[in-house]
Structures are given as C-alpha cells and as structure tokens.
Amino acid sequence: MTHRFLVTLGLAVLSAPAVGGAQAIDRTKPPVLAPPPSLQLPDIATATLPNGLTLHVVEMREVPLVQFTLAVAGGGREDHAVPGLASFTADMLDEGADTLDAFGIAALAEYYGANLRTTASWDEIRVSLKVPRRNLDPALALMAAVTLRPTFRSTEVTRQRDLRLARILQERDRPETVASLAFNAIVFPERHPYHASLTGDSLSTVGLDSTVVRNFYHQVFCAGRATLIVTGDMDLAEARAATQRHLGAWQECSPAPLRAVEAKHDLPSPVTLTIDQTRVYLIDKPGAAQSVIRIGGPGISRHHEDYIAIEVMNTILGGSFSSRLNSNLRETKGYTYGARSRFSYRPMPGPFTAGASVRTDVTDSSLVEFFREIRAIRDAPVSPTELERAKAYLALGLAGDFETTSQMAGNVAELLTFGLPLTYYNDYVQRVMAVTGEEVQRVARHHLRPDNVAIVVVGDLARIREDVEALALGPSTVRDLFGQPVAAD
Amino acid sequence: MVRMRHVLIILTFLAGATASRALAQATPLSVPYTMDTLANGLRFIVHEDHSVPTVTMNVWYHVGSGDEKRGRTGFAHLFEHLMFMGSENAPYPAFDRLLEGAGASNNGSTTEDRTNYFEWGPSNAAPLMAWLEADRMGFFLSTMDQEKVDLQRDVVKNERRQRVDNQPYGRAWETIGRMLYPRSHPYSWPVIGSMADLSAATLDDTREFFRTYYAPNNAVIVLAGAVTAADIKTLMEQYFGEIPRGPSITRPVPPSFTLARDTLAMLEDRVQLPRVYYAWHTTKAYAPDDAALDIVAYILTGAKNSRLTQRLVYEDQLASDIIAFQDGKLLDGDFIVRATARPGHALPEVHHVIEEEIARLGAEGPTLRELEQAQNSVESTFLNRLERVLAKADLLNGYYYFTGEPDYFARDLARYQAVTAADVQRAVATYLHAPKVILSVVPDGKPELAVQGTEVTP
C-alpha cells in the first residue's frame, strides 16, 4: 500500500511570471515572483510483519544514510503515578542490553558511525537509528538488542538515577526552566499527566529502581504497540527484509492497550479544564538580570476542527518573527530579545503559552503589552496583509520541513502519533490558504482567554513585585522554585 | 540573531567530530559548485540540488568581533542587528515581512571571524532574497539613524542579559577569553561585547563600519537548492552588479603568545553545582594539528566510552557531565574541557582525574580501536551534513573562507582519516601539557569547592 503526497505550494501572494530580461530591473519594488513550485513528496510504502509490527518506508536516495525510527505507544502520559518513568525507561534502554554494558553499546554504535537514540515523549518511547547504509545490518542488530533485550541492571539504574537527580537539581538554576515547570504545574491540576515534568521530579526519581523500570518496560514494549518508520537510502523490500531479520522475533502483544488516562485517574475531562480567573504567580530569583514571563492556559487537541485556523492566528500573534508580540515587545519597545506564543499539541490538549525574557525594570510594561496584543487579536479583525503573510509563511514553508531523513521520519511519526491519515499533507496548503480573517478572529475569541490565564513571572521580586501587582491583573501569590505555594506569604 | 560564542564552539566541535575510510571510497564526498566574481569583487557560488523545491541564500561578510577594537567590543554583532532595520527600497520592516509572505525565513549570526546572513524558502523566492540582500549591501547607509541604533542596542543588551547574565555559569566564557588571550588579542573579548561598549557605540561608528566592511569585495554569497547556475548568474549581475567596490581590508594580526604558567581563577554564581573549565592555547582552524585535536577531544569525551566520560561520569561518578572540544578559529585556537561535579563532590576530585587521564593519553596514545571509532564517528557527521542545503551552503562559504576551496568536503574528511595514534599523542604533548587556564565556578559562598591554587583576578 502506498500513500502519495503531492502538494502544490499554490496560491502565493506574489504569483506572476518570473523575473526576465537582462539588465533593466526596477529596484524600487520587490521582484514579482514566479508561481511557487509544487512539492512532490515521496510515497510512503507500508507493510506489516507477521508479529504485528507495522512499517512505513519513505525512500530518499540523496545521501547514503538510513534512519530507522521505532515508536512504541506508551510515553509520559502513561507514567504519571511515577512522573518521569517513561523517560527514564527510555534512557535506560541503551545503558545495557544482551551482554553489552553502556560502554559496549556506545562503542559499537559509534564504530558503525551510527546515531542511536532512545527518547520518550508524552505519547511514546522512541528508539531511533541513523546510520550510513553500508553499516545498517550490524547497527540494526544493536538497535534490536536495546529494544528487545535491555538488561536494566541495578548498578546501571542507580547510576542513571543519580545522574538524573543531579540534572533535576540544576534545572532550578535556569529561570526559563523554572518558569516553564511552574507554569505546567499551575495550569494542569495535580494528577493530570502534564502537571509534572516529562522527566519527573526529585521525589519521583529517587524511588526508581530496576524492578519499577522493568515492569514499565514489559507493560509497554511489544511488537503490536510499535510502528517502525524507515526513511533514506532504502526501499520497502529491503527495509522489510532487514526488519524481519532483526525485529521479526519480537513478541506480538495481546492488544490490551493501557486504559485511557482520563478513566484511570478520574481526571477532569480535558475540554472542561479551565482557569476560573486570571491569576499571577511570582517566583523569586534575587539578583536576576531579567524577568521570565509565561502567560497561558489549557490549549486544544491536535484534532480540534480549529487547528489550521489557530495556527494561522498564532502565526500572527506570536508564531513568527514578524508577529505582533515580537514586533511590539522586541522591535518597537526594546523590552526583550524575543517574544513568542504557541499552542503545544500532545495526545491530550497541551498548553497555550505566550512568553519572553524581559528587562527587569519593564516587567510590568511587558505584561501590559502581552495583554494588549492578546486582546487586540480578539477585538479587531487582522489586516488582509497580515493574514496573507501568515498563510503563505505556513503553507509555502512546508517544503523545507521534508528535506532530511530525520525531518521526514519526524513528520510521518507525528501523523501516526495523532492518528492522522498519511495523506494529511495533500490538501494542507489549500486548507491553510482557505482560512479567512473572520475565522482568525473567531478562533482568537474562542481560544485566547485573557481573563482566564495563569501568569508566571520568575524574577527579582524585590524589584518587580510592587509594579506587577499594581497592574491588578488578578490575585497574586508567591510560589517557590517548584511552582508550589510558599508557606508564609 | 546571533549564535553566542559557546553555542558556536560546540557547533564547530560537532563539525570537527566525524569519518570511515571504506565509506569515503564508496561515497565520493563532494558538493559540486560553480563560482563567479562580479566586476565589483563580489564572489558568488552556486550549488544545484533539486531534491526538494527550496533555495537558500547564504551571505558571508568577512568581518567579526576579531576585527573590533577595545572600547567598541560587540560592534560587529550590533551591526548584524542593524542590517535588519531596513534599506532604501526595502524600508523597515519589509525585510522580514516580504520573506515571510513568500514562505521564506531568515536569520543571521556573528562570530569572531565572520558575519553571515541567510534566507531559506521555496525556490521561486530566490529573486526576492537577491533583491533584499542587494538592497542592504548597496543602499543601506542613507537610512541609518540614531533611533535605529538605539533600538537595536537595547535588543542586543537584552540578548546579552538572556544569554549571559541571566544564565547559570553565564559569565564563564568571557572570563576564560580574558584569562587566556593577551589584552590586545581580539579573542580576549566576547562576540556579544560588554554593556559599557554597547552603550558607547555611535551612529558614526556604524557608518564607518559599513563603509569599511560591508562592501561587495568583502562578501561571498552562496546560493544552493533547486535553481540553475545560469539563472543565478543573471540574477546576481542584475541586483549586485552596480554596487560599488569598497576599500581593501587588512585584518588584524594578533600577537603570538604563550601562557607562561597555569592561571587559576574562581567565580561565585547562583548555581547548585560547581563546574570547572580548562582552556589551552592551541592552533587555528585547518592548521596541521587542528584535526588531531578534534580527535583528542573525541577520545576524551565524544562518547560514553570516551576516557573522561567513562571514568568521571560512569565509573568514579564524580561528574554529572563533561565535554571537550578544539575551537580552531581564523586567527588562533583554544582547547576546552568543561566538567560539572556531582552533588556532594568538589572540583579538586574532578581535577585530579582530568589531569591523570590527559597525562595517560599523552604517555600511551590511543588504541587503534579508539582512533577508528573517532574517525568513523567523524565521517558519519560529514554525511549527515549533506542532507540540508542550508548546511551545505554555509559549509561552502566557510570552506572557501578558511581554505580557498568551497568543495573542501573530501579534503576536510581526509584530514581526520590521516590522523595517527602518534599524532594524537603529539597533540596532547604539544598543547595539553602546556600551561592552561583553570576557572572554577562555584555556588555562592562555597569557595572551598574550587580547584585550589594561586589565583589571579579574572
């Protein structure tokens, strides 16, 4: 089975004949551009092995490299009884497998010129291998070993646990990290999977041992929960043969997927997750050179019908260099090196976040400008020029996202993660270009809620607190470096 | 819009960290190009790659913080910001807006040695990129005013706050530069400059700088992607041909120097864990020992089984991270080792192991297998960089600047393949057994965690 991508990067703002002639150019006007090229994405060929492992292959012959990306369903949203467990389990895969220890695995991978990575996202654990084609076979054997036969030895688990504890300690040094972790802990209630960090906290990490890790691994790792994406210098037949050779013995699992997170932990339904009123959370970093600001709340699902319109709206608000937030706070006011906003898409709705690092003495003025822009895009229609620019930026920028084997694998994996059709991009450009100014305003009104957001500010409270509270944006409290209430405030 | 020095050196390290003999034979490593020079001295290089319908334009001006003077540090980078503030036919904010409207993106960066500007987007946007770059190369100065300088000065100061002052260990890199290089050497100050110097920059400085350095004969442009060399030649002549040539430029010749003895310093910072930095004076990019030093760095910290990583992070468990890299630049070079102690450990314990392992590598040299692992890893990195036209364009420009040959890919790889165990041993003995800078950064109020010795004022 193959899925054909053919994307015409059509409907450009500047669409007329190409620049011609020899010398005479009119320098006073931008050149009139030829129509945008069509982007012919390669086919995605699909096969399923007898053990239930599904494989998608995209042939890319430009450079003699092959990437194998194995995505196993079961990431951070499954582990929140022990936050960080999925990520830790992923980290442990290449710390020992078969008779190899961590050094043995690294020595082989590097000798083959392979980049072998084991990571966890909110939704899945990924094992990925990028290797020169000629070394694929031994490298794939190594990838199979860490996937199928990790050892999780106690000494290795303890060592990685202690390393992770050191890193968690260091996270408190970076004000941006403090702000983001506190923001998540505040926006998502306790026991919501996104309340904690994907990599856990010191409390959840300190209890990790090889039994806990091994149990999670066995709960998650089986062929029927996995999808393999192969991109690069290889076709379907070659990829299938190589996969069968190395991963063919992997056990099929009885397809008893983990229960949905919502049911398992009796969470508030994601659609009703709201913030009752705008509140300010202040975190003290005495002597900080800047204040780090995060503003936002629960966002939307990747499947939301407004997804495309929201992406266009956010490109105008804070998703591009020319966006309103960046133009205002960086280019006009000089408050910051950059201001941005984004909707994060995860299996359950992730957050909407706007933010910047701003000069300490304009912390309050920066908050005023953030709210001015968030309200403005709700209150008035965007200009036709802004709208066309944002749509072209999203639609025509697509070609650059499919250049490398890693980008291709990432894009295909994202479609699979969210259960979107492999033909998704076929009409992506048309759908972006169809968004109207009315829709932009409608989704702004519906999805940006300036009266129902959390505002997190990490900075030198002795210098900013009074001014920020004088804005009366909402009730204000001081939180500690972990986003938790401070006893005596 | 800049890569700061510490980001840059890591990129250089990765670039330097790659290669496998047999594979290079099987895969000729080459990026074909054409090169032309306009009458005004502007060179342009075209690489056709039709695999995806995109194009990138990559402009290098041969000026960086290495061309600055004391009292005006950070100016090359500040000027990079001003280049986005509009020109005669594309007044602010046309530059970013027109590109975004064509589905294209852009950025720029400044290092010690050069300033680059690059756009990427659908292949039909090439004329727009050429028009915009030509306008700010040829029709820029009349639009510059005090207000623009003041505004971008604020943005750059915010950048410095965000990347240096508000980061844990943020002041370490500029402290090392000051300790390692003589005061008259331009690598003794950071690319982003000091707050005082940024405040001192004037509108007249801007004009003078532009006239000196932003001339067609001091720039090289690479166009790479789904375009034809013939079309690009026409485009370049049309848009850049009439820009007048500028003066010829003499780059500074920094003093040669050697560090007489180990130089030790300590900073206190708002950090949880102590971190130690070592810096040795080494050699320029592409100089004879540059590749051997990259291999030394790999053998020390390039993988989990590299000597320092295996010992400090895994076996003795004294450090939570460690990295080493050779940072060869145009005028000079340095070799860095940086390690963070684990909770409950002090830097002297880490220091002892680092000294011991470097001495052992110098005395015994690497095993054949260690050397091959390093070389294979380097080769793989070379292959990975060929996937993106954005990376290829910047490499063509960089190779041309540093070696005079844009398609230096195979010869660059050959440098690493030629490194022998004896070369590694000699590089360690020559450079890493020489006096060095040692900087400890410790949590506020905990000087006892630092590497001990006689300190100098950083």
Side-chain angles (χ1 to χ4, degrees), chain A residues 142-167:
Chain A
L142 190 62
M143 178 181 175
V146 307
T147 306
L148 306 186
R149 298 178 296 280
T151 45
F152 304 122
R153 272 199 296 268
S154 272
T155 49
E156 309 274 4
V157 169
T158 306
R159 171 158 54 210
Q160 291 302 317
R161 183 198 67 196
D162 291 349
L163 271 177
R164 179 170 281 211
L165 286 169
R167 279 172 200 143

PDB file of all heavy atoms in Angstrom, chain A residues 142-167:
ATOM      1  N   LEU A 142      22.193  -4.002  16.811  1.00  0.00           N
ATOM      2  CA  LEU A 142      22.375  -3.294  18.078  1.00  0.00           C
ATOM      3  C   LEU A 142      21.072  -2.611  18.519  1.00  0.00           C
ATOM      4  O   LEU A 142      20.675  -2.673  19.685  1.00  0.00           O
ATOM      5  CB  LEU A 142      23.489  -2.249  17.888  1.00  0.00           C
ATOM      6  CG  LEU A 142      24.015  -1.568  19.111  1.00  0.00           C
ATOM      7  CD1 LEU A 142      24.657  -2.561  20.070  1.00  0.00           C
ATOM      8  CD2 LEU A 142      25.042  -0.493  18.712  1.00  0.00           C
ATOM      9  N   MET A 143      20.396  -1.989  17.545  1.00  0.00           N
ATOM     10  CA  MET A 143      19.117  -1.353  17.843  1.00  0.00           C
ATOM     11  C   MET A 143      18.113  -2.390  18.357  1.00  0.00           C
ATOM     12  O   MET A 143      17.368  -2.139  19.314  1.00  0.00           O
ATOM     13  CB  MET A 143      18.566  -0.672  16.590  1.00  0.00           C
ATOM     14  CG  MET A 143      17.212  -0.005  16.768  1.00  0.00           C
ATOM     15  SD  MET A 143      16.666   0.746  15.208  1.00  0.00           S
ATOM     16  CE  MET A 143      15.029   1.303  15.664  1.00  0.00           C
ATOM     17  N   ALA A 144      18.117  -3.579  17.734  1.00  0.00           N
ATOM     18  CA  ALA A 144      17.210  -4.641  18.178  1.00  0.00           C
ATOM     19  C   ALA A 144      17.560  -5.085  19.594  1.00  0.00           C
ATOM     20  O   ALA A 144      16.679  -5.331  20.421  1.00  0.00           O
ATOM     21  CB  ALA A 144      17.288  -5.821  17.212  1.00  0.00           C
ATOM     22  N   ALA A 145      18.847  -5.140  19.901  1.00  0.00           N
ATOM     23  CA  ALA A 145      19.254  -5.575  21.240  1.00  0.00           C
ATOM     24  C   ALA A 145      18.732  -4.601  22.302  1.00  0.00           C
ATOM     25  O   ALA A 145      18.161  -5.022  23.313  1.00  0.00           O
ATOM     26  CB  ALA A 145      20.779  -5.689  21.316  1.00  0.00           C
ATOM     27  N   VAL A 146      18.909  -3.296  22.090  1.00  0.00           N
ATOM     28  CA  VAL A 146      18.457  -2.363  23.133  1.00  0.00           C
ATOM     29  C   VAL A 146      16.937  -2.313  23.206  1.00  0.00           C
ATOM     30  O   VAL A 146      16.362  -2.019  24.256  1.00  0.00           O
ATOM     31  CB  VAL A 146      19.038  -0.926  22.943  1.00  0.00           C
ATOM     32  CG1 VAL A 146      20.538  -0.952  22.814  1.00  0.00           C
ATOM     33  CG2 VAL A 146      18.415  -0.216  21.768  1.00  0.00           C
ATOM     34  N   THR A 147      16.268  -2.636  22.089  1.00  0.00           N
ATOM     35  CA  THR A 147      14.807  -2.608  22.092  1.00  0.00           C
ATOM     36  C   THR A 147      14.230  -3.867  22.740  1.00  0.00           C
ATOM     37  O   THR A 147      13.294  -3.798  23.538  1.00  0.00           O
ATOM     38  CB  THR A 147      14.283  -2.500  20.645  1.00  0.00           C
ATOM     39  OG1 THR A 147      14.885  -1.378  20.018  1.00  0.00           O
ATOM     40  CG2 THR A 147      12.770  -2.335  20.622  1.00  0.00           C
ATOM     41  N   LEU A 148      14.789  -5.021  22.386  1.00  0.00           N
ATOM     42  CA  LEU A 148      14.198  -6.297  22.802  1.00  0.00           C
ATOM     43  C   LEU A 148      14.829  -6.868  24.069  1.00  0.00           C
ATOM     44  O   LEU A 148      14.184  -7.607  24.800  1.00  0.00           O
ATOM     45  CB  LEU A 148      14.339  -7.343  21.680  1.00  0.00           C
ATOM     46  CG  LEU A 148      13.817  -6.964  20.299  1.00  0.00           C
ATOM     47  CD1 LEU A 148      13.889  -8.158  19.360  1.00  0.00           C
ATOM     48  CD2 LEU A 148      12.391  -6.464  20.388  1.00  0.00           C
ATOM     49  N   ARG A 149      16.101  -6.562  24.300  1.00  0.00           N
ATOM     50  CA  ARG A 149      16.794  -7.247  25.383  1.00  0.00           C
ATOM     51  C   ARG A 149      17.587  -6.304  26.301  1.00  0.00           C
ATOM     52  O   ARG A 149      18.742  -6.552  26.621  1.00  0.00           O
ATOM     53  CB  ARG A 149      17.734  -8.319  24.784  1.00  0.00           C
ATOM     54  CG  ARG A 149      16.982  -9.410  24.000  1.00  0.00           C
ATOM     55  CD  ARG A 149      17.907 -10.432  23.369  1.00  0.00           C
ATOM     56  NE  ARG A 149      18.786  -9.861  22.346  1.00  0.00           N
ATOM     57  CZ  ARG A 149      18.417  -9.610  21.085  1.00  0.00           C
ATOM     58  NH1 ARG A 149      17.196  -9.895  20.681  1.00  0.00           N
ATOM     59  NH2 ARG A 149      19.276  -9.091  20.226  1.00  0.00           N
ATOM     60  N   PRO A 150      16.948  -5.212  26.723  1.00  0.00           N
ATOM     61  CA  PRO A 150      17.653  -4.339  27.672  1.00  0.00           C
ATOM     62  C   PRO A 150      17.783  -5.059  29.010  1.00  0.00           C
ATOM     63  O   PRO A 150      16.922  -5.871  29.361  1.00  0.00           O
ATOM     64  CB  PRO A 150      16.725  -3.126  27.786  1.00  0.00           C
ATOM     65  CG  PRO A 150      15.361  -3.658  27.485  1.00  0.00           C
ATOM     66  CD  PRO A 150      15.565  -4.763  26.470  1.00  0.00           C
ATOM     67  N   THR A 151      18.863  -4.788  29.746  1.00  0.00           N
ATOM     68  CA  THR A 151      19.094  -5.557  30.979  1.00  0.00           C
ATOM     69  C   THR A 151      18.606  -4.846  32.245  1.00  0.00           C
ATOM     70  O   THR A 151      18.263  -5.482  33.218  1.00  0.00           O
ATOM     71  CB  THR A 151      20.597  -5.871  31.124  1.00  0.00           C
ATOM     72  OG1 THR A 151      21.340  -4.689  30.833  1.00  0.00           O
ATOM     73  CG2 THR A 151      20.996  -6.961  30.152  1.00  0.00           C
ATOM     74  N   PHE A 152      18.593  -3.506  32.240  1.00  0.00           N
ATOM     75  CA  PHE A 152      18.165  -2.736  33.426  1.00  0.00           C
ATOM     76  C   PHE A 152      18.860  -3.212  34.695  1.00  0.00           C
ATOM     77  O   PHE A 152      18.225  -3.423  35.729  1.00  0.00           O
ATOM     78  CB  PHE A 152      16.643  -2.806  33.624  1.00  0.00           C
ATOM     79  CG  PHE A 152      15.842  -2.358  32.423  1.00  0.00           C
ATOM     80  CD1 PHE A 152      14.925  -3.209  31.815  1.00  0.00           C
ATOM     81  CD2 PHE A 152      15.993  -1.077  31.917  1.00  0.00           C
ATOM     82  CE1 PHE A 152      14.171  -2.791  30.720  1.00  0.00           C
ATOM     83  CE2 PHE A 152      15.240  -0.650  30.819  1.00  0.00           C
ATOM     84  CZ  PHE A 152      14.327  -1.516  30.216  1.00  0.00           C
ATOM     85  N   ARG A 153      20.154  -3.418  34.613  1.00  0.00           N
ATOM     86  CA  ARG A 153      20.880  -3.865  35.804  1.00  0.00           C
ATOM     87  C   ARG A 153      20.845  -2.803  36.896  1.00  0.00           C
ATOM     88  O   ARG A 153      20.905  -1.601  36.618  1.00  0.00           O
ATOM     89  CB  ARG A 153      22.345  -4.175  35.442  1.00  0.00           C
ATOM     90  CG  ARG A 153      22.533  -5.624  34.966  1.00  0.00           C
ATOM     91  CD  ARG A 153      23.991  -6.034  35.075  1.00  0.00           C
ATOM     92  NE  ARG A 153      24.827  -5.241  34.201  1.00  0.00           N
ATOM     93  CZ  ARG A 153      25.135  -5.595  32.956  1.00  0.00           C
ATOM     94  NH1 ARG A 153      24.679  -6.728  32.453  1.00  0.00           N
ATOM     95  NH2 ARG A 153      25.885  -4.823  32.206  1.00  0.00           N
ATOM     96  N   SER A 154      20.794  -3.269  38.136  1.00  0.00           N
ATOM     97  CA  SER A 154      20.657  -2.365  39.283  1.00  0.00           C
ATOM     98  C   SER A 154      21.732  -1.287  39.329  1.00  0.00           C
ATOM     99  O   SER A 154      21.439  -0.114  39.571  1.00  0.00           O
ATOM    100  CB  SER A 154      20.726  -3.162  40.586  1.00  0.00           C
ATOM    101  OG  SER A 154      19.458  -3.604  40.911  1.00  0.00           O
ATOM    102  N   THR A 155      22.969  -1.689  39.079  1.00  0.00           N
ATOM    103  CA  THR A 155      24.048  -0.699  39.160  1.00  0.00           C
ATOM    104  C   THR A 155      23.851   0.398  38.122  1.00  0.00           C
ATOM    105  O   THR A 155      24.081   1.575  38.398  1.00  0.00           O
ATOM    106  CB  THR A 155      25.413  -1.370  38.918  1.00  0.00           C
ATOM    107  OG1 THR A 155      25.321  -2.167  37.744  1.00  0.00           O
ATOM    108  CG2 THR A 155      25.824  -2.224  40.096  1.00  0.00           C
ATOM    109  N   GLU A 156      23.422  -0.008  36.916  1.00  0.00           N
ATOM    110  CA  GLU A 156      23.220   0.981  35.855  1.00  0.00           C
ATOM    111  C   GLU A 156      22.038   1.886  36.180  1.00  0.00           C
ATOM    112  O   GLU A 156      22.073   3.090  35.956  1.00  0.00           O
ATOM    113  CB  GLU A 156      22.967   0.277  34.505  1.00  0.00           C
ATOM    114  CG  GLU A 156      23.979  -0.779  34.122  1.00  0.00           C
ATOM    115  CD  GLU A 156      25.190  -0.198  33.395  1.00  0.00           C
ATOM    116  OE1 GLU A 156      25.261   1.032  33.261  1.00  0.00           O
ATOM    117  OE2 GLU A 156      26.061  -0.990  32.985  1.00  0.00           O
ATOM    118  N   VAL A 157      20.964   1.268  36.717  1.00  0.00           N
ATOM    119  CA  VAL A 157      19.776   2.056  37.062  1.00  0.00           C
ATOM    120  C   VAL A 157      20.130   3.085  38.141  1.00  0.00           C
ATOM    121  O   VAL A 157      19.767   4.257  38.046  1.00  0.00           O
ATOM    122  CB  VAL A 157      18.627   1.137  37.526  1.00  0.00           C
ATOM    123  CG1 VAL A 157      17.491   1.947  38.137  1.00  0.00           C
ATOM    124  CG2 VAL A 157      18.102   0.304  36.355  1.00  0.00           C
ATOM    125  N   THR A 158      20.856   2.642  39.149  1.00  0.00           N
ATOM    126  CA  THR A 158      21.227   3.558  40.232  1.00  0.00           C
ATOM    127  C   THR A 158      22.097   4.705  39.716  1.00  0.00           C
ATOM    128  O   THR A 158      21.891   5.866  40.069  1.00  0.00           O
ATOM    129  CB  THR A 158      21.999   2.789  41.330  1.00  0.00           C
ATOM    130  OG1 THR A 158      21.197   1.677  41.715  1.00  0.00           O
ATOM    131  CG2 THR A 158      22.271   3.674  42.524  1.00  0.00           C
ATOM    132  N   ARG A 159      23.023   4.371  38.849  1.00  0.00           N
ATOM    133  CA  ARG A 159      23.910   5.403  38.315  1.00  0.00           C
ATOM    134  C   ARG A 159      23.127   6.445  37.514  1.00  0.00           C
ATOM    135  O   ARG A 159      23.300   7.643  37.698  1.00  0.00           O
ATOM    136  CB  ARG A 159      24.961   4.742  37.415  1.00  0.00           C
ATOM    137  CG  ARG A 159      25.799   5.717  36.635  1.00  0.00           C
ATOM    138  CD  ARG A 159      27.088   5.110  36.200  1.00  0.00           C
ATOM    139  NE  ARG A 159      26.928   3.871  35.458  1.00  0.00           N
ATOM    140  CZ  ARG A 159      27.807   2.886  35.447  1.00  0.00           C
ATOM    141  NH1 ARG A 159      28.912   2.993  36.136  1.00  0.00           N
ATOM    142  NH2 ARG A 159      27.594   1.808  34.739  1.00  0.00           N
ATOM    143  N   GLN A 160      22.235   5.967  36.643  1.00  0.00           N
ATOM    144  CA  GLN A 160      21.456   6.916  35.840  1.00  0.00           C
ATOM    145  C   GLN A 160      20.467   7.698  36.695  1.00  0.00           C
ATOM    146  O   GLN A 160      20.198   8.866  36.444  1.00  0.00           O
ATOM    147  CB  GLN A 160      20.725   6.188  34.703  1.00  0.00           C
ATOM    148  CG  GLN A 160      21.653   5.643  33.627  1.00  0.00           C
ATOM    149  CD  GLN A 160      22.512   6.734  32.990  1.00  0.00           C
ATOM    150  OE1 GLN A 160      22.032   7.819  32.682  1.00  0.00           O
ATOM    151  NE2 GLN A 160      23.800   6.458  32.813  1.00  0.00           N
ATOM    152  N   ARG A 161      19.934   7.049  37.718  1.00  0.00           N
ATOM    153  CA  ARG A 161      19.023   7.746  38.633  1.00  0.00           C
ATOM    154  C   ARG A 161      19.751   8.903  39.316  1.00  0.00           C
ATOM    155  O   ARG A 161      19.242  10.021  39.381  1.00  0.00           O
ATOM    156  CB  ARG A 161      18.500   6.753  39.679  1.00  0.00           C
ATOM    157  CG  ARG A 161      17.496   7.348  40.637  1.00  0.00           C
ATOM    158  CD  ARG A 161      17.347   6.495  41.876  1.00  0.00           C
ATOM    159  NE  ARG A 161      18.574   6.507  42.675  1.00  0.00           N
ATOM    160  CZ  ARG A 161      18.852   5.635  43.644  1.00  0.00           C
ATOM    161  NH1 ARG A 161      18.008   4.673  43.930  1.00  0.00           N
ATOM    162  NH2 ARG A 161      19.977   5.730  44.316  1.00  0.00           N
ATOM    163  N   ASP A 162      20.966   8.650  39.783  1.00  0.00           N
ATOM    164  CA  ASP A 162      21.715   9.701  40.465  1.00  0.00           C
ATOM    165  C   ASP A 162      22.099  10.838  39.507  1.00  0.00           C
ATOM    166  O   ASP A 162      22.080  12.010  39.875  1.00  0.00           O
ATOM    167  CB  ASP A 162      22.962   9.118  41.132  1.00  0.00           C
ATOM    168  CG  ASP A 162      22.594   8.222  42.309  1.00  0.00           C
ATOM    169  OD1 ASP A 162      21.408   8.241  42.716  1.00  0.00           O
ATOM    170  OD2 ASP A 162      23.472   7.490  42.809  1.00  0.00           O
ATOM    171  N   LEU A 163      22.424  10.453  38.270  1.00  0.00           N
ATOM    172  CA  LEU A 163      22.720  11.489  37.272  1.00  0.00           C
ATOM    173  C   LEU A 163      21.498  12.358  37.020  1.00  0.00           C
ATOM    174  O   LEU A 163      21.585  13.573  36.908  1.00  0.00           O
ATOM    175  CB  LEU A 163      23.123  10.836  35.947  1.00  0.00           C
ATOM    176  CG  LEU A 163      24.597  10.533  35.749  1.00  0.00           C
ATOM    177  CD1 LEU A 163      24.799   9.813  34.426  1.00  0.00           C
ATOM    178  CD2 LEU A 163      25.417  11.817  35.784  1.00  0.00           C
ATOM    179  N   ARG A 164      20.354  11.707  36.948  1.00  0.00           N
ATOM    180  CA  ARG A 164      19.129  12.457  36.696  1.00  0.00           C
ATOM    181  C   ARG A 164      18.806  13.375  37.881  1.00  0.00           C
ATOM    182  O   ARG A 164      18.355  14.502  37.689  1.00  0.00           O
ATOM    183  CB  ARG A 164      17.973  11.497  36.410  1.00  0.00           C
ATOM    184  CG  ARG A 164      16.680  12.211  36.162  1.00  0.00           C
ATOM    185  CD  ARG A 164      15.605  11.299  35.638  1.00  0.00           C
ATOM    186  NE  ARG A 164      15.786  11.044  34.214  1.00  0.00           N
ATOM    187  CZ  ARG A 164      14.776  10.814  33.373  1.00  0.00           C
ATOM    188  NH1 ARG A 164      13.544  10.811  33.788  1.00  0.00           N
ATOM    189  NH2 ARG A 164      15.014  10.597  32.097  1.00  0.00           N
ATOM    190  N   LEU A 165      19.051  12.904  39.072  1.00  0.00           N
ATOM    191  CA  LEU A 165      18.808  13.757  40.252  1.00  0.00           C
ATOM    192  C   LEU A 165      19.691  15.011  40.192  1.00  0.00           C
ATOM    193  O   LEU A 165      19.248  16.112  40.536  1.00  0.00           O
ATOM    194  CB  LEU A 165      19.067  12.972  41.538  1.00  0.00           C
ATOM    195  CG  LEU A 165      17.982  11.950  41.897  1.00  0.00           C
ATOM    196  CD1 LEU A 165      18.454  11.034  43.040  1.00  0.00           C
ATOM    197  CD2 LEU A 165      16.669  12.652  42.289  1.00  0.00           C
ATOM    198  N   ALA A 166      20.928  14.828  39.746  1.00  0.00           N
ATOM    199  CA  ALA A 166      21.819  15.995  39.622  1.00  0.00           C
ATOM    200  C   ALA A 166      21.275  16.975  38.588  1.00  0.00           C
ATOM    201  O   ALA A 166      21.301  18.191  38.786  1.00  0.00           O
ATOM    202  CB  ALA A 166      23.226  15.541  39.234  1.00  0.00           C
ATOM    203  N   ARG A 167      20.760  16.445  37.482  1.00  0.00           N
ATOM    204  CA  ARG A 167      20.225  17.336  36.439  1.00  0.00           C
ATOM    205  C   ARG A 167      18.967  18.057  36.910  1.00  0.00           C
ATOM    206  O   ARG A 167      18.762  19.229  36.590  1.00  0.00           O
ATOM    207  CB  ARG A 167      19.952  16.548  35.157  1.00  0.00           C
ATOM    208  CG  ARG A 167      21.235  16.358  34.396  1.00  0.00           C
ATOM    209  CD  ARG A 167      21.139  15.435  33.209  1.00  0.00           C
ATOM    210  NE  ARG A 167      22.492  14.981  32.893  1.00  0.00           N
ATOM    211  CZ  ARG A 167      22.805  13.769  32.481  1.00  0.00           C
ATOM    212  NH1 ARG A 167      21.859  12.864  32.304  1.00  0.00           N
ATOM    213  NH2 ARG A 167      24.048  13.452  32.228  1.00  0.00           N
TER     214      ARG A 167
END
